[in-house]
């Protein structure tokens, strides 16, 4: 869907299954709109340069770093943030495997994992590692995160 | 049957908050009327500020005010007051804050930053501690001797770049060399690295009518923020309130007080309106403090039987432009400079040195990773020269009860732990006897390297902590402490300690997570792996206080003596007849007799703890007691190294710690492997790189590389449990320790694999190639 935005104004977003109107600037990122305009603070700024993944959300089911997408680009797409998941298997797995400590990277990591699980329910170990490279966790050793993802995908560790 | 909590992997108290996205960090806070401050930072690593032109920037849309160092001629610093929060007169590092633009929105503030024009007159720069140490080096601080000293034991040297000098003189060094059969000497260089907490530092400051200062920060040290704002700006301590919610990683980096001072000044300049300053990732790396760098020189001797005879160690800490806590890390290195080995004759000179690098602050391990690298590499060289097995050399020299530390503290089984037992476990877990160098094929070898570690904390001698337990009307308990939840789950650990003491279900203990300095009992700082020990002791005392209150009230009601009673499962019961009891719910909030009369009141247990018998170090010999006890451990890595292109894969990383008592096995493993993972990052790739002008070239996560998922080895963690007798349930500190020996173990392993001495970090394939090329020439 083509949409031209030249000045500050309302856009219609589809977030976590709800149609929401938000007033943004053309230059506002999706991350900014989620956090500062809509108060959905699960997605976190970590580098605002696409390097760390802590702002990851799902756009039509695929993980996207919301710091690299303009809010206006999200018009016409289905956005899912961590607030949109309710007791998803990957959330339970993160809790059970202690896949976080400070928890700051967790919303982004869970959304990347959720995207992987939805897109590739039969993913193997290599596919899993390829997907998870996109995010950084500084507290855990990644062992816990891969353990959580393996448990949902039923991958037996090599 | 009593509830068991200590030793169980109970889930984190904040688990579902964090897994659902509901967890709130500092910058998730929405505040009405919030203004935004954006830092204008120096583009010059060392220079005089000739002029600052704010004219154009002040007319930009949304700009409310711009402040510079000239507006606030104050100095700050926890050890030496050498640090203007905004540069004044001169700049000393690239990235140093020079001005703050305050605007209605973040975008407006950032836009105006580009319109501030600052003219510098460049001065010669100093880019290594070794250069800075040389006579005639350009002075970074002209009168270091005149700075106010915030502690009694800091020794800046006039007309030098030396902010502090710590000396250890133990035994008789010439006698030690005379008794030596083999002596090795080597030098080591470690660059600065960065903490890279995923949440960048950010703060909101506001001054309410009545001059109440309110700070909201992502910090490990809310009580230090209060103290520094009070001392820097002459405000009554009690008028300052600091709030810290969950923190998105600290690793020591959020122990420094920096943005809080700047945000306070920004708020003051706009009539006290709330102002937020949040670092970009680039600022978090190049403006807020980093890990120290180190140049080290080690001379180590051993007699014919491989027993160490003497150690001479020189540590030159690259503390960057300001002292901050660098001098305490230089002290920390000196006081533990022998590693966990018996060396009777020791000289150590540890210097905290200014350079034109970003200033350093505490970093996981507090200097131990750095000096351990130098020492443990030296041990392997000595072993090679003497043709001794490196593990056996370490075992033979392991400290034992009855020995003494470099600062002459008498060591006991309790305050030291058992290194030999750690080494024995390590030996089997890494299959040491299978061989530490195995050729796989023409190009591939597998090799193993080890390192031991030890660490004690280095706090003020009067560091203290408090705790409060409040009984709820339903018999459950609220636990309130001043420790910040920065990630490792310390507040859950404290709840476990409380549950064990009260013999009750941990799910009925409610931990107040955010810290509010007006409400929370004091805790020195959430650093040094000391929360379980310090706050744990305060929690036990608070619990005992609450128990005493419950027993005396119950005794009155039940017409028995308090000594007849005990507490468990939220009941106060007769010891010889547990069926005769009262529910805590019925007495925790006063007891109401059937006729309506009531006695007692809300039970509030209070506990506190202060460090015991600590002393500053003697300025001439270093004699003194810096910390309560040590944690010892041994680590190993196994790598597969490609001889052709010098790439390598880390197959396995093993850690054995004497943990005293493991309170929560899953959390302990998590915090140890997390440390190992960070240690492997520092060992393999992390480095702040400066160009010739002292500008940082690695200020984004695209250029500053950390370990990513899939690059981790197999982790093995095991424990020895020698109780620390005065600690809650015998637990020893373990929070930082996983990181300490990893770079040394990896360097030892790769030096063996590549057949070349690797004495610097990070250990990139390029470094190995360069070292091999140098050797060919």
């Amino acid at each position: 869907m083509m949409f031209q935005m030249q000045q500050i104004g309302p856009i219609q977003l589809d977030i976590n299954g709800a149609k929401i109107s938000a007033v943004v600037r053309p230059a506002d990122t999706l991350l900014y709109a989620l956090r500062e305009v809509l108060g959905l603070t699960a997605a976190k700024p970590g580098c605002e340069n696409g390097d760390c993944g802590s702002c990851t959300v799902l756009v039509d089911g695929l993980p996207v770093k919301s710091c690299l997408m303009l809010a206006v680009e999200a018009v016409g797409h289905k956005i899912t943030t961590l607030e949109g998941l309710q007791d998803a298997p990957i959330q339970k797995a993160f809790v059970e495997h202690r896949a976080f400590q400070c928890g700051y990277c967790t919303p982004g990591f869970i959304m990347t994992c959720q995207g992987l699980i939805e897109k590739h329910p039969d993913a193997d170990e290599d596919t899993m590692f390829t997907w998870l490279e996109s995010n950084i966790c500084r507290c855990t050793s990644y062992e816990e995160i891969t353990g959580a993802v393996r448990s949902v995908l039923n991958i037996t560790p090599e | 049957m009593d509830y068991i909590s200590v030793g169980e992997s109970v889930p984190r108290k904040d688990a579902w908050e964090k897994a659902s996205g509901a967890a709130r960090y500092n910058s998730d806070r929405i505040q009405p009327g919030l203004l935004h401050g954006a830092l204008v930072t120096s583009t010059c690593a060392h220079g005089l500020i000739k002029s600052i032109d704010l004219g154009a920037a002040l007319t930009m849309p949304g700009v409310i005010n711009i402040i510079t160092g000239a507006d606030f001629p104050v100095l700050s610093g926890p050890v030496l007051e050498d640090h203007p929060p905004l540069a004044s007169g001169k700049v000393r590092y690239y990235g140093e804050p020079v001005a703050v633009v305050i605007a209605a929105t973040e975008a407006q503030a950032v836009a105006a930053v580009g319109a501030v024009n600052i003219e510098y007159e460049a001065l010669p720069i100093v880019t290594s501690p070794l250069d800075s140490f040389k006579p005639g080096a350009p002075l970074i601080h002209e009168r270091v001797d005149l700075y106010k000293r915030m502690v009694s034991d800091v020794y800046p040297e006039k007309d030098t770049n030396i902010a502090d000098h710590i000396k250890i003189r133990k035994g008789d060094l010439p006698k030690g060399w005379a008794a030596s059969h083999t002596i090795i000497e080597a030098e080591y260089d470690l660059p600065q690295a960065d903490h890279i907490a995923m949440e960048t530092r950010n703060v909101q400051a506001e001054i309410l009518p009545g001059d109440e200062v309110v700070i909201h920060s992502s910090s490990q040290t809310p009580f230090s923020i209060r103290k520094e704002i009070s001392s820097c700006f002459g405000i009554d301590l009690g008028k300052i309130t600091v709030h810290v919610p969950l923190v998105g990683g600290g690793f020591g980096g959020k122990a420094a007080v920096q943005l809080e001072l700047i945000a306070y000044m920004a708020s003051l300049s706009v009539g006290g309106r709330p102002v937020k300053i949040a670092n970009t990732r680039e600022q978090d790396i190049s403006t807020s403090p980093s890990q120290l760098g180190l140049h080290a020189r080690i001379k180590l001797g051993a007699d014919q039987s491989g027993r160490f005879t003497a150690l001479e160690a020189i540590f030159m800490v690259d503390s960057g432009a300001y002292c901050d806590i660098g001098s305490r890390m230089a002290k920390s290195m000196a006081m533990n400079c022998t590693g966990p080995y018996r060396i009777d004759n020791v000289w150590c000179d540890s210097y905290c040195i200014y350079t034109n690098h970003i200033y350093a602050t505490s970093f996981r391990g507090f200097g131990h990773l750095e000096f351990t690298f130098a020492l443990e590499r030296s041990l392997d060289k000595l072993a090679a020269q003497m043709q001794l097995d490196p593990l056996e050399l370490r075992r033979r020299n392991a400290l034992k009860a009855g020995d003494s530390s470099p600062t002459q503290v008498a060591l006991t089984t309790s305050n030291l732990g058992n290194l030999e037992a750690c080494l024995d476990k390590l030996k089997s877990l890494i299959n040491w006897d299978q061989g530490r160098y195995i050729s796989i094929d023409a190009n591939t070898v597998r090799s193993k390297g080890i390192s031991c570690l030890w660490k004690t904390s280095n706090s003020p001698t009067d560091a203290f902590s408090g705790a409060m337990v409040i009984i709820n009307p339903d018999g459950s308990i609220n636990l309130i402490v001043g420790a910040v939840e920065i990630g490792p789950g310390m507040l859950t650990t404290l709840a476990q300690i409380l549950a064990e003491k009260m013999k009750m279900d941990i799910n009925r203990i409610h931990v107040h997570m955010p810290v509010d300095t007006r409400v929370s009992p004091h805790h020195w700082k959430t650093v040094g792996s000391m929360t379980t020990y310090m706050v744990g002791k305060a929690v036990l005392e608070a619990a005992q206080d609450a128990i005493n209150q419950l027993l005396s009230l119950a005794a009155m009601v039940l017409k028995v003596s308090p000594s007849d009673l005990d507490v468990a499962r939220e009941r106060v019961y007769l010891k010889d007849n547990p069926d005769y009891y009262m529910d805590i719910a019925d007495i925790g909030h006063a007891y109401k007799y059937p006729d309506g009369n009531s006695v007692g009141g809300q039970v509030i247990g209070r506990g506190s703890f202060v460090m015991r018998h600590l002393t500053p170090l003697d300025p001439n010999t270093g004699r003194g007691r810096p910390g309560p006890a040590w944690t010892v451990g041994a680590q190993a890595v196994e790598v597969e190294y490609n001889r052709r292109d010098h790439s390598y894969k880390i197959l396995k990383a093993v850690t054995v710690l004497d943990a005293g008592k493991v309170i929560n096995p899953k959390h302990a493993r998590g915090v140890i492997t997390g440390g190992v993972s960070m240690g492997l990052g520092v060992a393999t790739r992390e480095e702040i790189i400066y160009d010739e002008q002292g500008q940082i070239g690695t200020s984004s996560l695209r250029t500053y590389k950390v370990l990513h998922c899939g690059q981790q080895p197999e982790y093995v963690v095991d424990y020895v449990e020698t109780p620390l007798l005065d600690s809650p349930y015998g637990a020893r500190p373990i929070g930082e320790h996983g990181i300490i020996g990893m770079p040394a173990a990896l360097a030892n392993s790769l030096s063996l694999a590549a057949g070349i001495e690797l004495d610097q970090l990070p250990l990139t394939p390029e470094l190995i190639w360069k070292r091999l090329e140098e050797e060919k020439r």
Side-chain angles (χ1 to χ4, degrees), chain B residues 646-675:
Chain B
H646 315 300
S647 64
Y648 59 90
K649 186 173 164 45
I650 304 167
L651 303 175
K652 202 180 205 184
V654 186
T655 301
V656 183
L657 287 185
D658 190 338
K661 169 75 189 171
V662 179
I663 291 184
N664 187 315
K666 282 193 179 173
H667 292 175
R669 182 183 169 88
V671 75
I672 291 167
T673 57

XYZ file of all heavy atoms in Angstrom, chain B residues 646-675:
221
model
N 44.858 -19.219 11.263
C 44.872 -18.744 12.658
C 43.478 -18.497 13.227
O 43.341 -17.855 14.258
C 45.759 -17.499 12.808
C 47.055 -17.651 12.095
N 47.948 -18.657 12.392
C 47.586 -16.967 11.053
C 48.976 -18.567 11.578
N 48.788 -17.563 10.745
N 42.465 -18.988 12.554
C 41.138 -18.908 13.149
C 41.028 -20.008 14.204
O 41.831 -20.939 14.219
C 40.056 -19.088 12.082
O 40.156 -20.390 11.535
N 40.076 -19.849 15.066
C 39.892 -20.892 16.075
C 38.460 -20.920 16.547
O 37.720 -19.946 16.384
C 40.844 -20.676 17.266
C 40.675 -19.330 17.968
C 39.781 -19.187 19.025
C 41.418 -18.206 17.573
C 39.626 -17.971 19.665
C 41.270 -16.992 18.206
C 40.364 -16.867 19.246
O 40.202 -15.660 19.867
N 38.091 -22.037 17.110
C 36.751 -22.194 17.686
C 36.929 -22.614 19.142
O 37.743 -23.484 19.433
C 36.001 -23.278 16.912
C 34.557 -23.446 17.320
C 33.875 -24.436 16.363
C 32.549 -24.973 16.891
N 31.616 -24.030 17.473
N 36.211 -21.953 20.021
C 36.282 -22.334 21.433
C 35.281 -23.461 21.648
O 34.084 -23.286 21.430
C 35.970 -21.136 22.347
C 36.938 -19.987 22.020
C 36.091 -21.521 23.820
C 36.539 -18.662 22.614
N 35.805 -24.625 22.008
C 34.939 -25.794 22.118
C 34.275 -25.863 23.489
O 33.099 -26.195 23.595
C 35.760 -27.075 21.887
C 36.501 -27.154 20.545
C 37.365 -28.399 20.505
C 35.508 -27.166 19.385
N 35.063 -25.568 24.497
C 34.575 -25.834 25.844
C 35.150 -24.799 26.792
O 36.316 -24.425 26.659
C 35.075 -27.217 26.237
C 34.322 -27.910 27.326
C 34.992 -29.276 27.572
C 34.046 -30.279 28.156
N 34.711 -31.541 28.475
N 34.347 -24.355 27.735
C 34.827 -23.432 28.772
C 34.372 -23.976 30.116
O 33.174 -24.125 30.350
C 34.267 -22.031 28.540
N 35.342 -24.285 30.960
C 35.030 -24.925 32.247
C 35.345 -23.963 33.388
O 36.386 -23.304 33.369
C 35.877 -26.206 32.438
C 35.440 -26.948 33.709
C 35.782 -27.109 31.220
N 34.455 -23.894 34.343
C 34.678 -23.068 35.532
C 34.377 -23.892 36.777
O 33.313 -24.516 36.864
C 33.755 -21.835 35.520
O 34.014 -21.081 34.342
C 33.995 -20.954 36.748
N 35.308 -23.902 37.710
C 35.041 -24.501 39.021
C 35.302 -23.428 40.068
O 36.393 -22.879 40.143
C 35.946 -25.724 39.291
C 35.574 -26.342 40.640
C 35.839 -26.750 38.172
N 34.264 -23.084 40.827
C 34.397 -22.059 41.863
C 34.152 -22.680 43.228
O 33.308 -23.564 43.362
C 33.353 -20.949 41.666
C 33.518 -19.955 40.531
C 32.432 -18.897 40.636
C 34.887 -19.293 40.540
N 34.871 -22.184 44.212
C 34.496 -22.516 45.576
C 33.420 -21.516 45.978
O 33.717 -20.369 46.335
C 35.690 -22.449 46.527
C 35.323 -23.024 47.890
O 34.115 -23.066 48.205
O 36.235 -23.432 48.631
N 32.167 -21.948 45.838
C 31.027 -21.045 46.020
C 30.569 -20.982 47.470
O 29.613 -20.270 47.776
C 29.874 -21.489 45.131
N 31.216 -21.723 48.341
C 30.779 -21.733 49.739
C 29.512 -22.529 49.899
O 29.501 -23.623 50.440
N 28.430 -21.963 49.379
C 27.144 -22.658 49.316
C 26.381 -22.070 48.139
O 26.267 -20.848 48.023
C 26.357 -22.424 50.620
C 24.910 -22.864 50.577
C 24.773 -24.360 50.662
C 23.337 -24.821 50.390
N 23.243 -26.280 50.253
N 25.908 -22.939 47.264
C 25.145 -22.456 46.111
C 23.694 -22.275 46.544
O 23.011 -23.242 46.867
C 25.252 -23.442 44.932
C 24.434 -22.938 43.753
C 26.704 -23.628 44.534
N 23.238 -21.040 46.552
C 21.891 -20.771 47.073
C 20.808 -21.081 46.034
O 19.769 -21.614 46.358
C 21.794 -19.309 47.572
C 22.664 -19.194 48.845
C 20.351 -18.913 47.876
C 22.620 -17.863 49.532
N 21.090 -20.759 44.773
C 20.127 -21.049 43.704
C 20.917 -21.597 42.514
O 21.499 -20.835 41.743
C 19.369 -19.771 43.313
C 18.240 -20.041 42.324
O 18.426 -20.786 41.349
N 17.092 -19.451 42.551
N 20.960 -22.932 42.354
C 21.852 -23.529 41.341
C 21.665 -22.982 39.923
O 22.633 -22.696 39.240
C 21.520 -25.017 41.424
C 21.025 -25.216 42.823
C 20.289 -23.948 43.180
N 20.407 -22.819 39.490
C 20.219 -22.337 38.111
C 20.671 -20.890 37.956
O 21.255 -20.527 36.940
C 18.761 -22.489 37.682
C 18.407 -23.925 37.312
C 17.085 -23.997 36.592
C 16.775 -25.451 36.216
N 15.426 -25.614 35.662
N 20.397 -20.085 38.966
C 20.849 -18.690 38.869
C 22.360 -18.606 38.957
O 22.985 -17.790 38.267
C 20.210 -17.840 39.971
C 18.741 -17.669 39.784
N 17.948 -17.038 40.696
C 17.935 -18.060 38.776
C 16.691 -17.049 40.254
N 16.665 -17.660 39.092
N 22.958 -19.450 39.783
C 24.412 -19.438 39.913
C 25.052 -19.812 38.580
O 25.972 -19.152 38.105
C 24.846 -20.403 41.006
N 24.530 -20.858 37.960
C 25.077 -21.261 36.674
C 24.908 -20.131 35.646
O 25.820 -19.832 34.888
C 24.383 -22.534 36.161
C 24.961 -23.017 34.838
C 24.230 -24.242 34.277
N 24.679 -24.468 32.914
C 25.739 -25.202 32.598
N 26.436 -25.787 33.546
N 26.111 -25.323 31.333
N 23.747 -19.489 35.669
C 23.487 -18.403 34.722
C 24.460 -17.254 34.881
O 24.999 -16.732 33.906
N 24.707 -16.859 36.126
C 25.573 -15.696 36.326
C 27.030 -16.067 36.046
O 27.797 -15.247 35.541
C 25.364 -15.073 37.724
C 26.009 -15.888 38.822
C 25.880 -13.647 37.763
N 27.392 -17.318 36.308
C 28.781 -17.723 36.032
C 29.002 -17.875 34.522
O 29.968 -17.339 33.977
C 29.139 -19.018 36.791
C 29.190 -18.722 38.296
C 30.475 -19.588 36.310
C 29.222 -19.945 39.171
N 28.101 -18.570 33.833
C 28.296 -18.716 32.384
C 28.150 -17.367 31.684
O 28.824 -17.109 30.680
C 27.320 -19.741 31.751
O 25.980 -19.335 32.046
C 27.570 -21.144 32.288
N 27.315 -16.490 32.232
C 27.212 -15.137 31.667
C 28.542 -14.417 31.772
O 28.976 -13.734 30.839
N 29.205 -14.580 32.906
C 30.531 -13.985 33.087
C 31.545 -14.608 32.154
O 32.373 -13.913 31.550
